[in-house]
Each structure stands twice: as structure tokens, then as C-alpha cells.
Amino acid sequence: MNFFSPIGRLFLRFIEDAGGIFLFFWQSLIFTFTPPLRFRLFLKHMEFIGVRSWLVVALTALFSGMVTAYQVHHALVKFGGQSVLGGVVALTLTRELGPVLSAIMVVARAGSAISAEIGSMRITEQIDALKIMAVNPIQYLVTPRLWAAMIVVPLLTAMADLIGIAGGYLIGVLVLGIDHGIFVARMQDMVELIDIMSGIYKSIFFGAFLVTVCCYKGYFAKGGAEGVGRATTEAVVISSVGILISDYVLTTLFF
Amino acid sequence: MLEIKNLRKSFAGFQVLKGVNLTIPKESMTFIMGGSGTGKSVLLKHIVGLLKPDEGEIWFEGQDITKLSERELQIVRKKIGLLFQEGALFDSMTVFENVAFPLVEHSRMSSKEIKLKVEELLQAVELLSAKDKFPSELSGGMRKRAALARTLALNPQVILFDEPTTGLDPILQITIMELIKKIKETFKLTCVVISHDLILALKFAEKIAFLHEGVVVEEGDPEKIRHAAHPFVRKFVESALLDKKFETKEVEHEL
Ligand SMILES: Nc1ncnc2c1ncn2[C@@H]1O[C@H](COP(=O)(O)OP(=O)(O)OP(=O)(O)O)[C@@H](O)[C@H]1O
Ligand SMILES: [Mg+2]
């Protein structure tokens, strides 16, 4: 009996959060069109997200590309199909690993920081201070970050695709001894523009999603420094899990 | 000018304001006094619409502030400034940027004019030398003065000061109060000051209101408060004045 009640409660919390997050996203999107245009803040947040995340994203992509090449090779060898390694690695990266891993790394590096920063602004009344100076806090704090993430996360994804494929090439050609020409040719045969773009489109969604969740959790933080910590943890968990779940949904529906 | 009628507010079942009635006369200096935790800050936050009451009205310029939408409030907030008890400075900005913020947001001044104005304000609160410091590098009293400068920047008609002098040394307390008084007279402002310091209130206030157990128990000019009948107010007055006598005696003794 009591076994299911935490699940029920979690489900209710989820519905409540989901509604709040969507409304929050909608508002920050709408406020794009109310002046002033906060272009400088937008640039600043692009820099923040990019600078904080690019190295981790690059490292993650490199090693994922390398290990994917090993694993795929292991499977392909069983029926002598190792020549398509280049294509399979590139497809895996552009369609799945690139966007998902980049987004999760951005959550870890920049998303958590955003959540903590906005959370501490909430509890030290800086958000109230914005309001009483007749500045809309969502328009000031969230809208520029939303656009920044929707641009930077796809850029990071494109970078991850490239580096990951390079990692796969390194292992495939230099270690596993697949011919350079074959590796590249199979890749060119198998990967179409739509494969790359599907990953990029997903990453635009992930960027918007993760930054909305992280801002939302920080924005409604309460209960002192401890509350900010709790908000940050929740933001990271919800965005990461949400990215994986929505990746599944988006992939089955559209891509 | 500002009329508060039967204002009630509870937090999670705990009633803080239990029907506050208070009139704040135009172009005057009104002090609100009371014990710690009696809801003085909560009362000010209602006046700028940061909190919505459970019941009651706040009339300003023919409008009931408690019924306004967030957008309508923006207009009112340009006319009513609030100095937060903890300052609520933006900790990602320097002191200079903090004070410049409302001007950058709302005035049509050039950056050169803004610079002059900000330096003038910082000069007035004796903080010019700290203009490039971040809030985290300031003492509590310095933060308070920086916040004061920021509140003054927009020339509101009404300014609500939440403990502007608490935590400052006695000389600076007088300096700040003199400054507030001077600004009030020059710009014909309506000032509401929260303070625990009765001596300061008796010296500067034109009207004093005592908040106790959620209601205004006594209000009037300093002379009336000095001879108030309400037991809490009497006790407050006696302790404060006794303190003063004690201090002067001690000084004489030392001489
Ligand atoms: N956002 C809030 N949520 C819950 N309770 C609150 C909130 N704000 C204030 N309170 C409660 O309301 C009461 C009054 O708080 P308030 O900050 O107005 O006191 P105060 O009179 O300003 O005290 P002090 O002189 O110490 O600043 C306190 O008991 C406080 O716990
Ligand atoms: Mg207070």
C-alpha cells in the first residue's frame, strides 16, 4: 500500500514541475519580444556556457568516439563487416552521442552554475531588487540565457561530432588497422545531411530544456543556502534525466 | 499619500500582520518602529507589491496597489523606491555598476552623464573610493550605503528605507540620516524609515508609528510618542531614553 505512495507523490510533483517549467519557458520566450533587447547579456551567457563546457565536451566526445569504435568493431568482426566501421561510428555520434553527451556535460558544467547563481540571487533578494527597479527578472535573467543555450549547445554538439569521429578514426584506422580510404568512404556513403541535422535539432531542444529547468529551479529556490544546494541538485537531476527521456521520445517521433 | 487599510498577511498559518492601518503623509518623514520580527519588512514589501496581502488595501495615487498586475506595478515601482534591509546588491556587479544599474535601465542619460551621477551619489554616501569593489568585498555598513545610493539613483517620489542605519557607526548613522533628510527636502520626497533607534527617530521623524503584535498600536509626532500610553511603546521609549541618560552620564564621568 505504502509502497506506491512515493511513486504517486513523485508523479504529482512531476506533473506540477512540468507545468511550471513549461510556463516558465513560454514566458521567457515571449519576453524576447519586449524591449529592451539584452544582446550584451546574451553574448555574455554564450561565452559563459561555451567557455565552461567546451573542454569537458571535447574530452567526453573524444573518448566516446574511441570506445564506440572498439565496441562496434568487436560486433562487426563477428560477421566480417568491419569495413563499415567509419559509417557506424559517425552515425552513432551525429545522431545520438554528440547531442546527448554534450547536453549532459553542459548541464554538469554550466547548468548547475546557472541554477546556483539564480538561486542565490533569489535568497539574497536580488530578484526582488530587480522587480522593484521595474526590471522584469525573467526577461533579464532567463531570456538571454535561453537563447544563449539554444545557440551554444548545438555548436558544442557539432564540435563533439567532429572530435568524436576523429577519435573513432584514430582507433579504427591507426589501432584496428582499417584502411583510411574505406573508413572515410563508408562514412560518406552512410551519413547523410539529415543524420547530422537531426542531432543538431535535438541539441537545440536540449539546450532550451536544460537552461529552462536550471533557471526555473534556481528562480524558485527557497530556504537559505541549503535551499540553493537542493535546487541545484534537483536541476541537474531533472535536466539530465529529462534529456535522456526526451531524446528517446524525439527520436522515435521525428528522427 | 500612502494609505494602508486593514492589511493582513499570514505565512503558513502564522499571522504576521493582523490588520495594519496606517497613513503616511505626503512629503514627510515617517518612522516605523517595533520589535524584531514583528513584520516591518513584510509591511514594506507589501507597499511595493512584492508580497500580496491576504486581506486589506494600500492606496497610492488613487489606486489600490494590492490589486495591480505585475505590469501595472512596474509603473508604480518607478515612483516608489525600496532600500532592502540586507542591501540586495547584485553580487555580479561592482558598486559602480550596481548604482548605475537603474539609470542604465530606465534613464535616457548618456554613459558620461550616468558616470557623473553615480559618482555624485557615491560621494554622498562616502563610498567613492570603493566604486570598483564587488559587494562581497564590502563591510555590512558599506553594502548598506551602496544600496542606499542605488535606491536614490532614480529619484523616486517615495522611498522606503528598511533599516538604513542599522550596523553603522553613530557618526555615519547621523550622516546618513542627514543625507536622507537633505534629499527628502530637496526633492520633496515622502520617506518611510524602519529603525530600532528611538533617539534617531525622535530627532528626524515627523511621524512615528509603532508596530506591535501585527497592528499599529501607537502613531503620532515624536512628542506624542514620547508620552505614549501603550505599555509596549512606553517600555520601548523608557529603555531607549534611559540608555541615553546613562550614556551621557558616563561621558561626563569620564571628563
Ligand atoms: N517570505 C516569508 N515566508 C515566511 N515567513 C516570512 C517571510 N517573510 C517574513 N516572514 C516572517 O514574518 C515575520 C516578520 O518578518 P519581518 O522580516 O517583517 O520582521 P521585521 O519586523 O522586519 O524584523 P527585523 O527588525 O528583525 O528586521 C517573521 O516571523 C518572519 O519569519
Ligand atoms: Mg526587517
Side-chain angles (χ1 to χ4, degrees):
Chain A
M1 185 92 190
N2 280 339
F3 179 75
F4 288 103
S5 78
I7 299 179
R9 218 174 306 136
L10 207 69
F11 185 70
L12 283 180
R13 278 268 318 272
F14 170 76
I15 296 290
E16 196 186 306
D17 262 355
I21 289 168
F22 183 76
L23 209 70
F24 197 69
F25 166 76
W26 187 245
Q27 279 182 316
S28 35
L29 199 64
I30 290 296
F31 286 137
T32 311
F33 308 104
T34 38
L37 197 63
R38 302 199 178 275
F39 193 68
R40 297 248 316 257
L41 280 178
F42 162 73
L43 292 180
K44 190 181 127 198
H45 294 310
M46 284 222 301
E47 188 193 341
F48 178 84
I49 298 171
V51 167
R52 268 185 100 91
S53 318
W54 77 269
L55 191 61
V56 220
V57 170
L59 275 172
T60 319
L62 180 67
F63 282 92
S64 308
M66 285 168 27
V67 81
T68 306
Y70 263 119
Q71 297 285 30
V72 169
H73 181 77
H74 178 78
L76 291 174
V77 157
K78 293 185 176 164
F79 52 90
Q82 59 267 51
S83 64
V84 297
L85 182 69
V88 177
V89 166
L91 279 179
T92 317
L93 274 155
T94 54
R95 293 182 61 97
E96 273 309 318
L97 292 182
V100 171
L101 290 178
S102 308
I104 287 181
M105 289 303 131
V106 171
V107 170
R109 288 289 296 164
S112 56
I114 288 171
S115 187
E117 186 184 343
I118 295 184
S120 91
M121 289 186 76
R122 161 61 74 194
I123 59 155
T124 57
E125 298 181 318
Q126 292 175 54
I127 291 183
D128 288 338
L130 281 172
K131 277 195 195 168
I132 63 145
M133 286 189 272
V135 172
N136 183 317
I138 295 185
Q139 202 247 0
Y140 185 82
L141 296 173
V142 186
T143 305
R145 285 182 168 92
L146 178 66
W147 284 101
M150 288 200 292
I151 308 263
V152 173
V153 176
L155 287 176
L156 288 169
T157 299
M159 181 191 79
D161 290 352
L162 280 174
I163 295 179
I165 291 171
Y169 177 90
L170 221 67
I171 297 302
V173 176
L174 300 184
V175 179
L176 301 171
I178 294 173
D179 180 67
H180 160 82
I182 291 178
F183 188 96
V184 174
R186 286 295 93 79
M187 198 162 80
Q188 283 171 341
D189 292 346
M190 289 169 71
V191 181
E192 289 172 60
L193 187 63
I194 181 66
D195 295 312
I196 299 171
M197 288 321 288
S198 78
I200 298 294
Y201 293 144
K202 281 199 280 192
S203 73
I204 297 174
F205 174 84
F206 294 156
F209 174 74
L210 74 91
V211 92
T212 307
V213 171
C214 292
C215 288
Y216 174 83
K217 281 291 166 186
Y219 196 85
F220 293 105
K222 50 173 170 262
E226 197 190 328
V228 177
R230 195 165 45 233
T232 308
T233 312
E234 284 180 21
V236 170
V237 172
I238 295 179
S239 344
S240 314
V241 174
I243 284 168
L244 293 169
I245 295 176
S246 62
D247 177 49
Y248 174 80
V249 175
L250 287 175
T251 305
T252 48
L253 288 184
F254 303 113
F255 307 118
Chain B
M1 172 93 212
L2 261 169
E3 206 165 335
I4 301 163
K5 287 184 186 164
N6 191 31
L7 202 70
R8 288 168 194 271
K9 179 72 178 177
S10 309
F11 291 107
F14 171 66
Q15 200 169 21
V16 178
L17 303 179
K18 302 174 184 169
V20 173
N21 289 292
L22 181 64
T23 306
I24 289 157
K26 201 177 166 84
E27 291 167 32
S28 72
M29 178 96 79
T30 304
F31 270 60
I32 298 177
M33 314 197 66
S36 193
T38 43
K40 303 181 298 296
S41 299
V42 168
L43 179 62
L44 288 199
K45 284 179 190 166
H46 279 89
I47 302 179
V48 286
L50 285 177
L51 291 172
K52 293 277 181 207
D54 303 332
E55 216 185 303
E57 299 162 4
I58 299 172
W59 288 88
F60 174 69
E61 295 187 334
Q63 284 179 306
D64 179 1
I65 289 174
T66 62
K67 305 286 185 298
L68 297 182
S69 71
E70 201 63 23
R71 186 173 302 180
E72 291 164 323
L73 273 173
Q74 289 221 344
I75 300 162
V76 173
R77 282 168 179 162
K78 285 184 193 164
K79 298 178 189 164
I80 307 182
L82 167 65
L83 171 68
F84 285 87
Q85 187 166 358
E86 312 291 342
L89 293 170
F90 302 123
D91 42 32
S92 60
M93 299 180 192
T94 63
V95 168
F96 182 93
E97 289 164 338
N98 262 288
V99 179
F101 182 81
L103 298 172
V104 173
E105 285 294 319
H106 294 302
S107 77
R108 294 236 170 84
M109 295 183 191
S110 69
S111 51
K112 206 170 166 192
E113 287 168 318
I114 289 178
K115 186 167 181 287
L116 281 176
K117 169 100 191 187
V118 172
E119 284 177 354
E120 184 191 323
L121 286 162
L122 287 175
Q123 183 82 59
V125 294
E126 298 179 22
L127 218 56
L128 196 53
S129 56
K131 75 178 165 67
D132 294 320
K133 289 197 167 144
F134 285 91
S136 58
E137 302 166 317
L138 303 180
S139 74
M142 290 162 95
R143 273 202 284 273
K144 193 144 262 180
R145 282 181 282 150
L148 178 62
R150 186 177 69 180
T151 311
L152 296 175
L154 270 189
N155 297 328
Q157 299 167 18
V158 181
I159 308 187
L160 315 170
F161 300 92
D162 197 344
E163 309 201 6
T165 59
T166 311
L168 304 182
D169 66 72
I171 301 169
L172 206 53
Q173 285 189 10
I174 298 289
T175 315
I176 293 290
M177 280 314 300
E178 297 277 6
L179 172 72
I180 291 175
K181 191 175 164 197
K182 196 179 108 201
I183 293 165
K184 173 197 158 255
E185 270 151 24
T186 333
F187 297 104
K188 299 201 184 323
L189 301 183
T190 306
C191 293
V192 179
V193 180
I194 289 182
S195 171
H196 291 122
D197 191 334
L198 189 73
I199 312 287
L200 221 54
L202 292 175
K203 183 166 157 58
F204 287 98
E206 286 155 64
K207 173 173 180 171
I208 300 176
F210 262 88
L211 200 60
H212 182 57
E213 294 181 341
V215 290
V216 173
V217 290
E218 197 79 62
E219 58 182 302
D221 59 23
E223 208 42 43
K224 187 177 170 213
I225 295 298
R226 217 187 257 273
H227 305 107
H230 190 277
F232 171 76
V233 181
R234 277 233 332 252
K235 208 167 155 195
F236 201 107
V237 172
E238 275 165 15
S239 339
L241 296 185
L242 211 84
D243 236 31
K244 187 173 188 192
K245 272 185 206 141
F246 183 68
E247 272 168 23
T248 42
K249 256 188 205 147
E250 209 162 57
V251 174
E252 278 164 16
H253 186 73
E254 275 178 14
L255 288 174

